[in-house]
């Protein structure tokens, strides 16, 4: 669409300056990825799509797309930045939004994974466990149910979880009861579906147990 | 004697009330429902309802009935507007908080509404209840347009609708009955929660084969502005295979012992559930906002209509009183003289 070579330096300056939704967004591409450019603020539609749209629906405006409503992401910086930018979202709220921290530890399926600035781009599926956000001396810990964590090349980490609760909101007695209950259910499960559900319950409650440090 | 003098009086009264209407009626059948500030047509009474000539108080009764019903309509629509306003407040908070949920996925996978695929599902999100303005029609319009967009490439594309909400189904059933794959109704009986959306997403994924899903919903900008939005989600097979579509997914390492296919499948399903949750909340918020403005307009129209009816009622009442007085006085004058 546009000649990407010439605007590379302009892009870096522009992206650095504009964190709000760019008003004059045209399809600037990050020079690093020559494949599909992820542009936000303006819909990523090819010209062919626009033509097709005019053919089938000449009287309607084009619909909006989610990329219209997203802020642009910072480009890949040339050196490793000092801080990690964390976005932690839940269905019920934005828990952390573009917060600059030192590092985070996420409960990936393969174990606790630490993410520092300059981490290699990763997609990690999360299992129930503790997520801790470290910024200097302050540490915030949440128990997350499950979700995904994306680490991007530009040292932005997105963590999407379904439920995340600070640890002090849990009742140790309830957790113990839960472990016993789900163990019983697992033993008395009649079919695979019930067994799978009971296993999930056992996994979550045991993780909670370890997280809270109770036996 | 009364009837003798009543006839000219009532003719005058009739001309006063029905004069315009008669000329309208004689001109054409469309006169009753035509526009313009004509008494008969603004209040919607057909010629059969208007009192016959010579009846003085019967027209007053009809107008009084009309006024009563318009007043109760005004009260009802005002109450509906208040209810919608209070519901709007609650659900707007939820919708705005859930806006972050789909952003990580779009940041990772990009947004590619123009992907050409063979099997597509169009998920149309609409409301269950009516009286909410034009939001359902606009969603259905865009769904149909997306359907035709796919048809441009060739006749062997498999496109199906999955409809959420009664109003969308009613509209799409008229011409696309065979193309409706699934239908979800009464989704807002208990408030929208993520569990419900993930179960719906699960059902859709289990029962349909697809390469891409396009979800059409109304995004809430403000109480008076809603924008139809199309969110595109690709199936795991497409994410794995077609790198031009997804960009640089190859650059990302997969953490954990699962294979890339499993992780991408979980990712795509999770993205679908998250996008659906946000889409349903936004659509519900738009529905409340649209209902608020529709009911506001309705209340205002009802109060305008009530004002007009009151004026004509008073005029006819005063005219009949005047006629009575004239008769009495002329009768008394006739007796004396």
């Amino acid at each position: 669409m546009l000649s990407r070579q010439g605007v590379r330096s302009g892009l870096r300056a522009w992206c650095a300056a504009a964190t709000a939704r760019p008003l004059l967004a045209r399809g600037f591409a990050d020079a690093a990825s020559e494949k599909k450019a992820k542009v936000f603020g303006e819909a990523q539609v090819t010209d062919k799509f626009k033509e097709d749209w005019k053919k089938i629906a000449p009287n309607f405006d084009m619909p909006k797309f989610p990329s219209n409503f997203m802020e642009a992401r910072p480009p890949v910086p040339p050196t490793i930045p000092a801080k990690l930018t964390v976005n932690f979202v839940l269905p019920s709220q934005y828990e952390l939004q573009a917060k600059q921290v030192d590092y985070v530890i996420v409960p990936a399926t393969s174990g606790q994974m630490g993410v520092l600035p300059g981490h290699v781009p990763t997609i990690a599926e999360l299992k129930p466990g503790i997520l801790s956000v470290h910024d200097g001396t302050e540490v915030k810990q949440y128990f997350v149910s499950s979700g995904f964590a994306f680490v991007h090349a530009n040292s932005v980490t997105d963590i999407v979880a379904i439920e995340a609760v600070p640890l002090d909101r849990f009742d140790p007695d309830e957790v113990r009861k839960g472990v016993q209950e789900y163990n019983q259910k697992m033993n008395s499960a009649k079919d695979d579906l019930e067994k799978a559900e009971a296993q999930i319950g056992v996994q979550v409650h045991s993780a909670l147990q370890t997280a809270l440090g109770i036996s | 004697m009364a009837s003798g003098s009543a006839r000219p009086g009532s003719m005058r009264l009739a001309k006063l009330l029905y004069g315009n209407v008669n000329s309208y009626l004689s001109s054409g059948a469309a006169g009753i429902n035509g526009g313009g500030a004509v008494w008969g047509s603004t209040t919607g009474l057909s010629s059969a309802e208007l009192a016959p000539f010579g009846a003085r108080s019967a027209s007053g009764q009809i107008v009084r009935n009309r006024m009563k019903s318009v007043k109760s309509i005004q009260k009802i629509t005002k109450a509906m507007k208040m209810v919608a306003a209070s519901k709007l407040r609650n659900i707007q908070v939820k919708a705005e908080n859930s806006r972050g949920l789909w952003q990580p996925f779009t940041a990772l996978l990009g947004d590619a509404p123009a992907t050409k695929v063979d099997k597509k599902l169009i998920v149309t999100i609409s409301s269950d209840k009516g009286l909410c303005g034009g939001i359902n029609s606009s969603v259905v319009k865009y769904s149909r347009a997306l359907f035709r967009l796919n048809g441009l490439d060739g006749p062997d594309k498999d496109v199906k609708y999955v409809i959420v909400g009664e109003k969308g189904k009613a509209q799409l059933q008229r011409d696309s009955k065979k193309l409706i794959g699934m239908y979800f109704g009464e989704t807002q009986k208990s408030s929208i929660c993520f569990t419900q959306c993930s179960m719906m997403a699960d059902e859709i994924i289990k029962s349909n084969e697809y390469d891409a899903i396009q979800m059409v919903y109304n995004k809430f900008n403000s109480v008076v502005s809603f924008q139809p939005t199309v969110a595109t989600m690709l199936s795991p097979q497409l994410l794995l295979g077609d790198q031009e579509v997804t960009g640089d997914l190859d650059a990302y390492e997969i953490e954990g012992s699962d294979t890339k296919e499993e992780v991408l499948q979980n990712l795509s399903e999770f993205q679908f559930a998250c996008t659906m949750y946000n889409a349903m909340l936004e659509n519900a918020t738009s529905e409340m906002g649209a209902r608020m403005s529709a009911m506001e307009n309705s209340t205002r129209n009802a109060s305008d209509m009530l004002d007009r009816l009151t004026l004509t009622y008073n005029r006819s009442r005063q005219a009949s009183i005047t006629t009575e007085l004239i008769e009495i006085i002329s009768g008394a004058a006739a007796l004396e003289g």
Side-chain angles (χ1 to χ4, degrees):
Chain A
M1 234 190 326
L2 290 177
S3 68
R4 293 160 184 172
Q5 296 295 334
V7 296
R8 193 184 314 179
S9 52
L11 166 70
R12 295 220 191 279
W14 171 73
C15 269
T19 47
R21 196 175 304 154
L23 294 173
L24 48 80
R26 294 278 291 166
F28 289 127
D30 191 344
S33 66
E34 277 167 358
K35 297 176 195 166
K36 188 93 177 164
K38 294 191 197 125
V39 176
F40 302 118
E42 186 179 281
Q44 304 179 62
V45 285
T46 55
D47 286 330
K48 174 133 194 331
F49 184 83
K50 292 193 187 137
E51 281 171 26
D52 285 344
W53 186 264
K54 282 220 172 48
K55 268 192 256 176
I56 47 150
N59 298 329
F60 307 158
D61 294 331
M62 276 226 303
K64 296 271 184 292
F65 303 99
S67 43
N68 287 69
F69 302 109
M70 239 181 103
E71 292 174 5
R73 285 295 168 102
V76 182
T79 56
I80 298 176
K83 291 249 188 188
L84 189 69
T85 319
V86 173
N87 294 322
F88 182 24
V89 285
L90 302 171
S92 51
Q93 60 183 74
Y94 295 83
E95 190 66 41
L96 296 171
Q97 198 174 5
K99 190 152 189 283
Q100 304 275 347
V101 297
D102 287 333
Y103 64 98
V104 294
I105 302 184
V106 297
T109 40
S110 56
Q112 300 282 75
M113 177 174 94
V115 180
L116 287 138
H119 195 280
V120 61
T122 312
I123 300 175
E125 202 177 329
L126 304 178
K127 67 168 188 221
I130 308 183
L131 168 82
S132 47
V133 178
H134 300 253
D135 189 14
T137 45
E138 52 174 84
V139 177
K140 254 198 282 203
Q141 289 195 322
Y142 306 90
F143 186 83
V144 303
S145 61
S146 56
F148 269 89
F150 308 136
V151 184
H152 300 282
N154 49 11
S155 290
V156 175
T157 307
D158 292 315
I159 308 175
V160 193
I162 302 184
E163 291 276 358
V165 193
L167 284 176
D168 51 9
R169 298 238 232 120
F170 287 104
D171 181 7
D173 291 326
E174 284 288 335
V175 175
R176 269 189 223 112
K177 263 195 281 181
V179 172
Q180 286 166 357
E181 186 191 323
Y182 278 99
N183 268 319
Q184 270 177 347
K185 274 201 198 147
M186 193 157 74
N187 294 332
S188 64
K190 289 185 236 55
D191 59 18
D192 278 340
L193 181 64
E194 279 184 33
K195 196 159 189 153
E197 286 176 4
Q199 264 179 339
I200 295 176
V202 168
Q203 192 187 18
V204 172
H205 282 85
S206 330
L208 259 176
Q209 240 186 353
T210 354
L212 293 172
I214 51 179
S215 57
Chain B
M1 51 102 195
S3 56
S5 56
R7 218 170 290 121
S10 68
M11 287 293 271
R12 266 207 301 276
L13 171 64
K15 250 211 193 67
L16 177 73
L17 291 176
Y18 315 130
N20 293 340
V21 178
N22 277 333
S23 62
Y24 240 49
L25 284 177
S26 54
S27 61
I32 291 299
N33 293 324
V38 180
W39 183 75
S41 56
T42 45
T43 51
L45 295 176
S46 65
S47 61
E49 287 175 29
L50 296 173
F53 291 129
R56 274 191 289 259
S57 56
S59 63
Q61 186 63 37
I62 291 173
V63 179
R64 262 209 303 277
N65 284 341
R66 190 93 190 149
M67 278 167 63
K68 222 181 348 180
S69 69
V70 170
K71 204 183 276 185
S72 70
I73 288 177
Q74 186 186 7
K75 286 199 189 127
I76 290 172
T77 52
K78 187 147 188 226
M80 283 184 76
K81 178 190 147 205
M82 301 274 164
V83 167
S86 74
K87 283 192 184 165
L88 173 74
R89 247 176 279 135
N90 286 340
I91 205 166
Q92 185 177 358
V93 167
K94 276 177 93 171
E96 284 177 356
N97 281 337
S98 78
R99 275 191 185 152
L101 200 56
W102 50 263
Q103 287 186 9
F105 298 102
T106 313
L108 179 73
L109 302 168
D111 188 21
T115 22
K116 305 282 186 205
V117 290
D118 283 332
K119 295 207 184 79
K120 204 198 271 202
L121 277 184
I122 300 181
V123 180
T124 308
I125 306 202
S126 58
S127 67
D128 283 327
K129 305 207 183 111
L131 293 180
C132 50
I135 55 168
N136 291 322
S137 331
S138 67
V139 163
V140 167
K141 234 172 30 176
Y142 280 91
S143 306
R144 289 209 181 110
L146 283 177
F147 179 79
R148 271 175 290 160
L149 198 68
N150 236 43
L152 272 184
D153 295 329
D156 54 346
K157 306 290 177 180
D158 179 15
V159 186
K160 281 223 234 20
Y161 292 108
V162 171
I163 307 180
V164 179
E166 178 68 47
K167 295 291 157 189
K169 176 172 110 150
Q171 290 195 30
L172 278 173
Q173 241 178 0
R174 276 185 299 155
D175 55 356
S176 320
K177 189 153 187 189
K178 295 200 191 70
L179 298 165
I180 297 179
M182 288 180 92
Y183 161 66
F184 293 91
E186 295 190 0
T187 44
Q188 290 193 44
K189 269 232 154 111
S190 49
S191 56
I192 301 174
C193 65
F194 190 79
T195 323
Q196 176 190 34
C197 290
S198 43
M199 289 178 70
M200 281 164 65
D202 209 19
E203 272 298 321
I204 297 178
I205 292 174
K206 267 195 303 198
S207 341
N208 292 304
E209 257 188 50
Y210 63 92
D211 287 330
I213 300 183
Q214 288 197 306
M215 198 179 288
V216 191
Y217 60 100
N218 286 96
K219 193 168 171 73
F220 181 79
N221 275 346
S222 75
V223 180
V224 294
S225 127
F226 329 105
Q227 282 165 334
T229 312
V230 176
T232 314
M233 282 145 285
L234 304 169
S235 71
Q237 291 84 13
L238 218 62
L239 284 178
L240 264 178
D242 198 352
Q243 288 308 315
E244 293 145 25
V245 167
T246 59
D248 43 2
L249 207 55
D250 260 345
Y252 288 84
E253 255 186 44
I254 307 290
E255 175 75 28
S257 48
D258 293 335
T259 58
K260 192 169 184 193
E261 287 85 26
E262 284 175 16
V263 171
L264 282 182
Q265 183 168 22
N266 289 343
L267 185 69
S268 134
E269 292 178 5
F270 192 37
Q271 183 193 16
F272 185 23
C274 290
T275 318
M276 175 167 260
Y277 179 66
N278 176 251
M280 287 190 62
L281 280 175
E282 298 268 358
N283 202 56
T285 321
S286 310
E287 177 196 339
M288 292 303 150
R291 183 165 297 133
M292 247 181 81
S293 15
M295 292 297 105
E296 161 86 50
N297 287 339
S298 189
T299 314
R300 204 178 337 113
N301 289 343
S303 68
D304 285 348
M305 194 183 271
L306 194 59
D307 286 342
R308 272 203 298 270
L309 278 171
T310 313
L311 281 178
T312 50
Y313 175 67
N314 283 336
R315 250 189 286 136
S316 73
R317 188 176 52 88
Q318 286 156 5
S320 69
I321 291 173
T322 313
T323 321
E324 293 273 357
L325 284 174
I326 289 175
E327 281 172 19
I328 294 169
I329 292 172
S330 56
L335 279 176
E336 279 175 29

